[in-house]
Amino acid sequence: MARNLSVFDLDHTLFKVNSSYHFGWHLFRRRVISFYSLVYCLICYSRHKIFGLPLEELHNKVFRVFYGIRAAVLADNMKSFLDAKFDKLCYLPAV
């Protein structure tokens, strides 16, 4: 039986970097999302950090980028992303 694990590291306890940004860059490099979509996400994130855009609104705006992308495509890319980057992203003292 396959088991799945979902991990959210909102305070950078497990990852030393913003894993969402790195996954977005991975999706861009693999041509899953466009350059425009990547820039849009970065602008939204900047509005959140600098101007106090509420987190819920940030999520609503950024998740629009993924409308129309099949879940299987995202899952395949998540696997390749984690295979290539997981060890480099981890904050070893916490792990």
Side-chain angles (χ1 to χ4, degrees), residues 36-68:
Y36 170 79
S37 294
L38 181 67
V39 170
Y40 173 77
C41 291
L42 291 172
I43 289 170
C44 290
Y45 182 72
S46 297
R47 287 182 58 207
H48 166 69
K49 292 303 265 184
I50 298 169
F51 300 110
L53 180 72
L55 190 58
E56 183 176 354
E57 192 173 337
L58 169 66
H59 288 164
N60 288 336
K61 289 178 177 301
V62 169
F63 289 152
R64 290 180 193 153
V65 169
F66 300 103
Y67 291 158

